[in-house]
Amino acid sequence: MTALPEKRFPSTVDRTDRIDRPLTMRGVVEADLPELHRVDREAFPEEPYHYFELRQSYDIHGDRILVLDDGRNLHGYVLFVTTSDGYVNWIKSLAVTPELRGRGQGRRLMLEVIRRLRTEGVHQVRLTVEPTNAAAITLYRSLGFSFEGEVRKGYFGPGEDRLIMALGL
């Protein structure tokens, strides 16, 4: 069983990261969309979401996007969507800006999602990850996720291989 997140919100970030304001986790609002897009481009420079994709995600699943906010800028987000039967949740995206990677912020976002999903009675959390993304795989395994089978070749199209990972709640 995975430990629940600590109740310390907000946390502070090391000043050497150019961020000297506390980071607060909160739900996304419409005015955040340009910043959300910036975070996504910084986190995934090769394949960021298009602005319209984030816009649609907000319109459809706005209550399922959490962000890390320092009061001026966003520094991370997680988008999670539960199936209509309420049984399974998919983590659609987890992003943390490069200057905060390796500082526990992705874990913080994921633990909050897991906490919320447990209270909602969701039974399983699933996600996909690039097979070469060792940092993400390490994070997800440390949270209790396990692999469902082998690498799925072409999961998102040609050359878009993914591992599927799952966590029972």
Side-chain angles (χ1 to χ4, degrees):
M1 183 168 187
T2 304
L4 295 178
E6 296 177 334
K7 300 281 186 205
R8 294 183 304 196
F9 293 106
S11 70
T12 55
V13 178
D14 185 346
R15 290 179 183 270
T16 61
D17 289 318
R18 301 178 320 208
I19 302 168
D20 59 0
R21 294 171 301 282
L23 283 178
T24 302
M25 187 184 311
R26 62 170 175 78
V28 72
V29 296
E30 187 172 7
D32 291 329
L33 288 173
E35 272 290 291
L36 196 65
H37 190 230
R38 180 196 53 79
V39 168
D40 198 67
R41 285 189 328 265
E42 287 182 16
F44 306 111
E46 295 86 27
E47 294 186 77
Y49 281 123
H50 294 283
Y51 186 91
F52 80 86
E53 292 172 298
L54 292 172
R55 172 78 227 192
Q56 287 178 336
S57 292
Y58 171 79
D59 288 343
I60 299 167
H61 308 291
D63 63 335
R64 298 304 211 172
I65 304 172
L66 299 176
V67 296
L68 293 174
D69 181 2
D70 72 3
R72 294 185 194 159
N73 300 296
L74 299 184
H75 297 279
Y77 78 90
V78 61
L79 167 59
F80 56 108
V81 179
T82 302
T83 56
S84 60
D85 63 6
Y87 192 86
V88 176
N89 183 277
W90 280 89
I91 304 296
K92 302 258 306 164
S93 187
L94 173 67
V96 175
T97 54
E99 71 270 8
L100 287 183
R101 287 188 186 149
R103 305 217 177 243
Q105 298 305 317
R107 172 178 296 281
R108 180 179 175 198
L109 287 163
M110 287 295 294
L111 286 172
E112 179 59 17
V113 167
I114 291 167
R115 184 194 68 76
R116 289 179 184 211
L117 295 175
R118 280 193 174 124
T119 65
E120 294 173 11
V122 171
H123 295 278
Q124 185 183 60
V125 183
R126 300 180 83 196
L127 57 83
T128 66
V129 63
E130 287 186 29
T132 58
N133 191 342
I137 292 168
T138 299
L139 168 64
Y140 300 139
R141 291 194 73 179
S142 76
L143 292 169
F145 283 82
S146 58
F147 297 111
E148 286 192 346
E150 300 296 318
V151 173
R152 301 277 302 268
K153 298 286 185 190
Y155 187 80
F156 287 138
E160 296 288 331
D161 304 340
R162 294 293 185 274
L163 289 166
I164 298 175
M165 300 182 78
L167 171 68
L169 297 181

